[in-house]
Amino acid sequence: MLVARNLAVNDPQAFGHSIKPEMTPRERWLALLEGKGADRIPSDYQATPEVTERLKHELGCPDEEAIYRRLKIDARYFVAPRWKYERHPQDPAADLWGVRYRWVDYGLGRYQEPVYHPLADAESPSDVARHPWPKPEDFDYQTITDAVLKSDLCRPIHAGHFEPFMIYGYLRGLEKAFEDLVLRPKLADAILGHLFEFFWEHHRRIFEAGKGRIDLTWVAEDLGSQSGPLISLETYRRFLLLHQLKMADLARSFGVHVMYHSDGSILPFLPDLVEKVGIEILNPIQWRAAGMDRRYLVAEFGRSVIFHGSIDNQQTLAFGTPEEVRAEVLESIEIYRNARWICAPCHNIQPITPTANILTLYETLNAAFGEA
């Protein structure tokens, strides 16, 4: 039995020192989503594959689930439909969008960088229409049904990811993608329209296949840099807002909760995201970015959203000491005391991050609730 400390500001009865029975990870997430206090602050995990493999080896864990149990992490269970093709039918070197990549090695790991943008030379909506767009029927959604029916519902189930402008940048090239929003709005409308049409039906089938067991989905877009927004609020409203709203409404119609991801400095967009799109969880709270002060965010939006992430991996986790990691976790516990917070790194933990810092993150949170 643990003292509840992570309490929802819109639940007045939660502000006592009531004792709650121990919850499962899914129950903790759902308690926050319902505006209630959980038995403890939930946690989550995100890291590069290299980091996960290292933790498995160093902790003697056979799989990710064993890591979660070892560190008492309330991680989500992700399910996805299966793409029916092993390779793109018209371009074996490309992904389902027709984009080709190359592996980039940075010493401690590697990532894929897009090197061929199939819509780079598009000049008109008709050029966009001729592109071989993927279709929802290219996917097997039975894999989702099978996965959710096998789940013991211990962990929250997450399915779906709508982040169209990211894909737009891959299809067009990032520089041209931003230019289109100003110089070629009809072309932008055509590309974003095709992406929305695919994803709306794709997610409808995902949610339908989930048989009422899907808890969470991503509606996302990276709107901020370290120092400020990447686009204006007017541009966001012109090109992205309506589609995000429709995708969020679709999720809600199936009882699925909406998580929103955006890196960086995004303060100007938050009123629209909260009041119009109706996001419920905001990730990742990169508080070192301009305007993303945690106390201000709690004061302005703490009654409306759950904060997810917030443990800095630009400096603290990657380059700090275990003592500095511990101090940041304890500081965050205090900042979010009267809000709803899911403790997690503010982005993928990178291979440069010492294992001791990762362990300290979760061990400090656990110790705050009397858990070893």
Side-chain angles (χ1 to χ4, degrees):
M1 304 287 248
L2 302 169
V3 178
R5 297 182 66 186
N6 190 44
L7 306 176
V9 296
N10 59 350
D11 182 7
Q13 296 181 347
F15 279 102
H17 292 285
S18 59
I19 304 296
K20 297 179 182 293
E22 186 169 354
M23 296 176 168
T24 65
R26 181 172 183 266
E27 288 171 340
R28 289 189 185 105
W29 281 69
L30 292 181
L32 297 196
L33 285 161
E34 293 167 3
K36 302 174 182 177
D39 61 335
R40 51 162 291 158
I41 296 173
S43 60
D44 205 354
Y45 173 87
Q46 57 186 110
T48 67
E50 295 85 2
V51 171
T52 300
E53 288 302 312
R54 191 180 82 209
L55 288 179
K56 286 162 60 176
H57 173 73
E58 295 185 5
L59 300 180
C61 294
D63 51 32
E64 285 190 52
E65 177 62 28
I67 294 174
Y68 303 154
R69 293 184 180 277
R70 170 76 175 271
L71 300 179
K72 302 182 186 301
I73 300 173
D74 302 297
R76 289 160 285 165
Y77 174 49
F78 289 87
V79 297
R82 181 183 64 85
W83 191 38
K84 294 179 180 179
Y85 304 104
E86 292 185 6
R87 298 179 179 181
H88 192 286
Q90 298 181 15
D91 185 352
D95 68 1
L96 76 162
W97 302 104
V99 179
R100 300 179 200 149
Y101 304 81
R102 69 180 177 92
W103 285 103
V104 177
D105 192 312
Y106 59 93
L108 296 174
R110 62 178 191 159
Y111 67 94
Q112 284 191 311
E113 184 79 17
V115 293
Y116 171 70
H117 313 287
L119 290 179
D121 297 327
E123 297 180 351
S124 67
S126 60
D127 292 335
V128 173
R130 284 192 291 270
H131 179 68
W133 294 95
K135 301 178 178 61
E137 51 266 33
D138 296 338
F139 292 81
D140 176 10
Y141 298 90
Q142 183 63 36
T143 58
I144 290 183
T145 302
D146 294 343
V148 299
L149 292 180
K150 289 178 182 177
S151 170
D152 60 4
L153 298 182
C154 174
R155 299 194 175 279
I157 297 177
H158 188 122
H161 188 149
F162 178 66
E163 194 169 359
F165 194 70
M166 177 185 71
I167 298 171
Y168 190 125
Y170 292 169
L171 287 164
R172 185 89 167 116
L174 194 57
E175 184 174 346
K176 283 187 176 180
F178 279 111
E179 287 179 353
D180 288 347
L181 301 179
V182 177
L183 303 177
R184 296 173 284 270
K186 291 183 179 180
L187 191 65
D189 284 335
I191 295 173
L192 290 169
H194 278 279
L195 289 168
F196 172 75
E197 289 173 7
F198 166 79
F199 275 111
W200 194 93
E201 177 60 19
H202 184 55
H203 280 68
R204 189 197 67 77
R205 297 189 188 196
I206 286 174
F207 299 148
E208 188 175 69
K211 304 298 182 183
R213 294 193 174 199
I214 295 173
D215 300 304
L216 300 153
T217 192
W218 283 120
V219 173
E221 209 67 81
D222 279 339
L223 299 172
S225 70
Q226 193 71 18
S227 58
L230 290 170
I231 60 175
S232 69
L233 179 60
E234 292 73 22
T235 300
Y236 166 75
R237 288 172 172 169
R238 165 67 175 81
F239 290 100
L240 301 176
L241 173 59
L242 182 58
H243 288 166
Q244 290 190 340
L245 174 58
K246 289 181 177 180
M247 292 299 294
D249 281 345
L250 174 66
R252 283 188 283 266
S253 73
F254 282 89
V256 177
H257 299 283
V258 177
M259 291 187 70
Y260 195 89
H261 165 84
S262 178
D263 296 328
S265 175
I266 60 167
L267 188 61
F269 307 103
L270 289 181
D272 277 14
L273 291 173
V274 172
E275 298 166 14
K276 297 179 181 179
V277 180
I279 67 171
E280 297 169 84
I281 304 177
L282 178 63
N283 160 276
I285 320 298
Q286 289 185 317
W287 58 267
R288 293 188 188 275
M292 298 299 289
D293 178 77
R294 290 164 291 174
R295 289 180 177 84
Y296 178 81
L297 294 177
V298 167
E300 291 295 314
F301 305 104
R303 293 185 176 273
S304 304
V305 299
I306 298 168
F307 300 100
H308 178 284
S310 197
I311 304 302
D312 174 59
N313 72 335
Q314 293 176 304
Q315 296 182 33
T316 310
L317 282 173
F319 304 110
T321 64
E323 291 74 23
E324 290 169 330
V325 173
R326 180 177 182 275
E328 183 166 320
V329 173
L330 293 175
E331 179 185 50
S332 294
I333 289 174
E334 291 304 314
I335 290 173
Y336 296 112
R337 175 178 289 277
N338 292 328
R340 293 170 293 165
W341 175 47
I342 297 170
C343 177
C346 73
H347 211 290
N348 288 327
I349 300 172
Q350 298 295 310
I352 198 172
T353 305
T355 298
N357 285 0
I358 302 171
L359 300 183
T360 298
L361 160 59
Y362 296 106
E363 290 171 354
T364 301
L365 186 70
N366 295 334
F369 296 90
E371 298 185 351

